[in-house]
Amino acid sequence: MVVDIGMIAADTSRSRAYLQALIRHGLLPGHVLVLENPSSALLPGQMARDTGHGATGAWTGEVGSDCWSEADFDPTIPLRELLDGAGITHETAPSQDINDEAVIAAISRRPESVLIYSGYGGVLLHKNVLATGKRFLHIHGGYLPAYKGSTTNFYSLLAENAMGASAIFLTEQIDSGPILLRREFPPPADRTRIDHVFDSAVRAKVLVEVLGLYAKTSNWDVAMENKGGDTYYIIHPVLKHLAIMAIK
Amino acid sequence: MKYSYSGENRLETPAKYTYAAFGGGEFLQAYIRDRQEAIAGLGQAYKDLSWEDIPHLLRREFSSSSGQLLSTPLQPDRVDAPASMPVQIIRALSADQTINTTEVLECLVAIQLTSSGEPAVTVWLDRLVQRFEVSKKIYETYPPGFRKGLGDAHQVRLYWLLAIALCLQYHVDEQLKYLSTLLKLTDLLCSLPTEELKAESCSTGLGWVLCAEIAAIRRLADQKGVAIGC
C-alpha cells in the first residue's frame, strides 16, 4: 500500500486499467471511494460488455512492449471485483456526482491527503471539491502543456503520430496543474481500441511511474510548469476516423 | 451507412460526439456523400477544390459588393473599407464588456478575407469556439466575462459566420481544433431545412464552405495515408 494515497473511482475502463496496473506493481491505494452509476445507461468512460476481446476478455495485443506494458489489462473485470480481489477497502459514495455535497463531505472525511481521481468522462471538479484541501492526482490523456482538453490523443496522433499522458494535480483551470511527469508514446498497433484500452494504458503507465517515484522519495516533485499549449474539445468523428485509420 | 450527425435538427437536438463509434471507410464515405447532398440541396454543384485555390475562391465569394455577408447596422461597404477598420474594432473589444456576436463575427471574417494576420482574430475565435463547444449554441450577445450567452441562440446566421471564420482560419494555420469545430458547425447547418438557411441569407457561400471543408478532409486524409474511396 502506498502511504497517504486514496482513490476516487468510477467503474470505467480507465479505472479498471489503473487498478490492474497498481495491483500488478504493488502500489495499492489505501482506500477507494466508488462513484457508482445506479442506472443501466452507460456513462462516459464506461464500456459496453461486448468488447470483442475474446472469451476471456483479456487483451492479447501489445504484450511485451515496455511502453505498452499496461495495455495488458482486462477491461471487462468490474471495479469492485478488482478491489475485493486485492483486499483494498472501499465504500460507495453517496452519489455518482463528485461535485455533490455529500460526496465532498465523504472526501473531506478521508485521512489521505492525495486522492487519485478517475471519475466519469467530461466531469470537471468544482472549486468546492478542490477546497477540501486534498490534492487530486489526475493523469491527463495527452502530452502537456501542448495538448490540453478532451480527446487530445486523437489530435496528437493526427498532428504528430504520437500519444501522451501527463500527471498533474487538479486545479480550477482545466489541465493546468504543474506537471509531475509526462511521457510520449508511439501509436498503438490497433487504433480502434484507443478509447477504452490504449488511452487508459498510457495513463496507467504514467500513474504507475509517478506513484512509484512518490513511494521511493515521499516527494511530489514538479517536473515542469504547465503554461501555454492549446485547449482541444471532443474530436469530431470524421477526424477521429482519420486518426484511427492513419498509416503515417 | 447513413451519416447521422446532420440527420436531425441540431439546433434543437445537439449532436453527441462523445466516444463516437468506429465505422471505417464507410463512415468517411457517408460523410462525403452527406456534404455533397447538402451542396446539391443548396442549388450548387459540388466542386473538387484544390487546397491552394480555397482562399481565393472564398474571398471572391464573400467580398462582393453585394454585401451579403454584412448585416444592416454595419456600413454596407465594410468589406471594401480600409482593412484597418474591422481591425480597430476588434482590437478595441474586450471580454469585459457586453459583446454583440454579429459584430465580432463580421469583423473577424472581414479581417480574414484581407489576410491581415491580426492576432486578435484567433483570440476571439478561440473564445467563440469555447462557447459553442461547451453550450453547443452561439448567442446573440455575451455579457461581461464572456460566459453564458444571452438572447437568441437560434440565429442561423451566427453559426454560418463562425463556420466561414473557421474555414478561413484553418486554411491559414491548419489547426485541427478549428477543423473539428467547423465540422460540428457544418453538421448543424446541414441539418437545417434549406428554407431556413435561405431565409437568413446563409445559403450563399455555404456550398463553398462545404466544398472547402471536404477539400481539407481529403488533404488531411492524403497526408495520413487514408484512402477515402469516393
Side-chain angles (χ1 to χ4, degrees):
Chain A
M1 193 174 81
V2 187
V3 173
D4 199 31
I5 303 287
M7 187 171 182
I8 301 169
D11 193 3
T12 61
S13 46
R14 186 190 311 166
S15 296
R16 295 175 182 185
Y18 283 2
L19 254 307
Q20 290 178 56
L22 295 175
I23 291 165
R24 192 176 12 245
H25 291 271
L27 294 166
L28 305 186
H31 186 79
V32 177
L33 189 61
V34 178
L35 302 172
E36 196 151 85
N37 175 12
S39 85
S40 55
L42 295 176
L43 288 174
Q46 294 190 301
M47 217 172 56
R49 284 198 179 277
D50 176 15
T51 64
H53 284 256
T56 63
W59 176 245
T60 55
E62 304 296 327
V63 175
S65 164
D66 181 65
C67 69
W68 291 113
S69 59
E70 307 315 321
D72 183 21
F73 76 98
D74 186 345
T76 65
I77 304 177
L79 189 71
R80 286 190 191 278
E81 198 175 310
L82 292 167
L83 294 171
D84 290 337
I88 300 171
T89 68
H90 54 92
E91 67 184 280
T92 304
S95 161
Q96 69 185 65
D97 178 7
I98 189 161
N99 295 305
D100 180 280
E101 272 185 30
V103 177
I104 295 173
I107 290 171
S108 298
R109 284 194 293 272
R110 292 304 313 160
E112 300 89 3
S113 59
V114 174
L115 298 166
I116 302 164
Y117 178 64
S118 180
Y120 294 104
V123 175
L124 300 177
L125 268 57
H126 294 171
K127 58 183 180 192
N128 289 352
V129 181
L130 299 171
T132 57
K134 307 293 182 193
R135 283 193 285 183
F136 298 88
L137 177 62
H138 170 63
I139 313 300
H140 170 65
Y143 199 66
L144 291 172
Y147 291 94
K148 295 183 161 94
S150 177
T151 60
T152 51
N153 275 320
F154 287 106
Y155 286 103
S156 65
L157 277 170
L158 276 174
E160 302 178 40
N161 212 30
M163 293 175 64
S166 312
I168 58 172
F169 285 125
L170 291 174
T171 62
E172 277 193 57
Q173 287 73 44
I174 297 174
D175 299 328
S176 296
I179 299 168
L180 305 173
L181 189 130
R182 63 177 188 168
R183 292 283 177 255
E184 258 190 324
F185 297 80
D190 185 353
R191 298 185 188 209
T192 65
R193 305 275 185 216
I194 288 173
D195 272 329
H196 289 288
V197 175
F198 293 104
D199 186 83
S200 301
V202 299
R203 296 183 198 229
K205 182 83 175 167
V206 166
L207 176 63
V208 159
E209 193 172 344
V210 79
L211 275 183
L213 278 172
Y214 171 73
K216 269 196 204 128
T217 65
S218 301
N219 283 329
W220 297 103
D221 294 322
V222 172
M224 61 182 287
E225 280 197 333
N226 189 1
K227 291 201 186 315
D230 274 312
T231 297
Y232 293 83
Y233 302 95
I234 295 173
I235 195 165
H236 189 278
V238 167
L239 297 185
K240 183 174 177 178
H241 275 68
L242 293 182
I244 290 171
M245 295 167 68
I247 57 172
K248 52 180 174 173
Chain B
M1 176 186 283
K2 184 101 176 83
Y3 181 78
S4 63
Y5 294 99
S6 59
E8 56 182 296
N9 188 315
R10 293 303 180 192
L11 260 186
E12 288 167 13
T13 313
K16 288 187 168 50
Y17 295 106
T18 319
Y19 290 98
F22 180 64
E26 268 189 71
F27 172 81
L28 292 175
Q29 289 158 23
Y31 151 75
I32 299 275
R33 275 197 305 273
D34 178 81
R35 295 305 198 247
Q36 289 174 335
E37 283 165 13
I39 293 164
L42 295 166
Q44 190 173 323
Y46 167 67
K47 197 171 156 56
D48 238 341
L49 300 181
S50 79
W51 185 249
E52 294 71 28
D53 284 343
I54 288 171
H56 166 72
L57 275 164
L58 293 180
R59 264 180 219 122
R60 188 189 68 194
E61 178 64 28
F62 293 121
S63 297
S64 72
S65 57
S66 66
Q68 282 202 6
L69 192 64
L70 308 168
S71 52
T72 312
L74 295 183
Q75 295 162 36
D77 59 346
R78 168 65 56 83
V79 168
D80 299 322
S84 62
M85 199 183 302
V87 170
Q88 285 170 29
I89 293 174
I90 212 79
R91 282 184 189 170
L93 288 175
S94 159
D96 295 329
Q97 66 188 84
T98 298
I99 294 298
N100 178 296
T101 314
T102 299
E103 182 180 48
V104 170
L105 281 167
E106 288 187 355
C107 282
L108 288 186
V109 174
I111 295 168
Q112 288 171 309
L113 289 173
T114 61
S115 6
S116 76
E118 168 60 37
V121 166
T122 52
V123 169
W124 282 100
L125 210 50
D126 286 345
R127 286 182 178 139
L128 288 161
V129 162
Q130 194 266 351
R131 287 287 91 217
F132 173 71
E133 287 280 1
V134 169
S135 67
K136 293 299 177 283
K137 297 274 192 289
I138 305 172
Y139 286 84
E140 198 176 359
T141 65
Y142 288 88
F146 211 78
R147 302 295 290 172
K148 279 182 90 165
L150 294 173
D152 188 3
H154 280 230
Q155 288 186 16
V156 174
R157 186 179 167 75
L158 296 179
Y159 300 87
W160 174 71
L161 282 169
L162 184 56
I164 296 167
L166 289 170
C167 186
L168 289 166
Q169 193 61 35
Y170 180 72
H171 194 276
V172 167
D173 58 23
E174 295 190 68
Q175 286 263 28
L176 292 169
K177 61 180 184 177
Y178 295 138
L179 183 56
S180 185
T181 304
L182 171 62
L183 284 159
K184 294 175 188 176
L185 277 160
T186 51
D187 280 345
L188 185 153
L189 290 164
C190 291
S191 78
L192 300 177
T194 312
E195 307 77 60
E196 203 170 331
L197 293 171
K198 286 180 177 164
E200 298 213 29
S201 302
C202 299
S203 58
T204 306
L206 177 56
W208 285 117
V209 170
L210 295 176
C211 289
E213 179 191 277
I214 293 173
I217 293 301
R218 287 198 193 280
R219 174 181 161 83
L220 186 56
D222 195 53
Q223 288 170 343
K224 304 310 292 185
V226 177
I228 296 183
C230 70

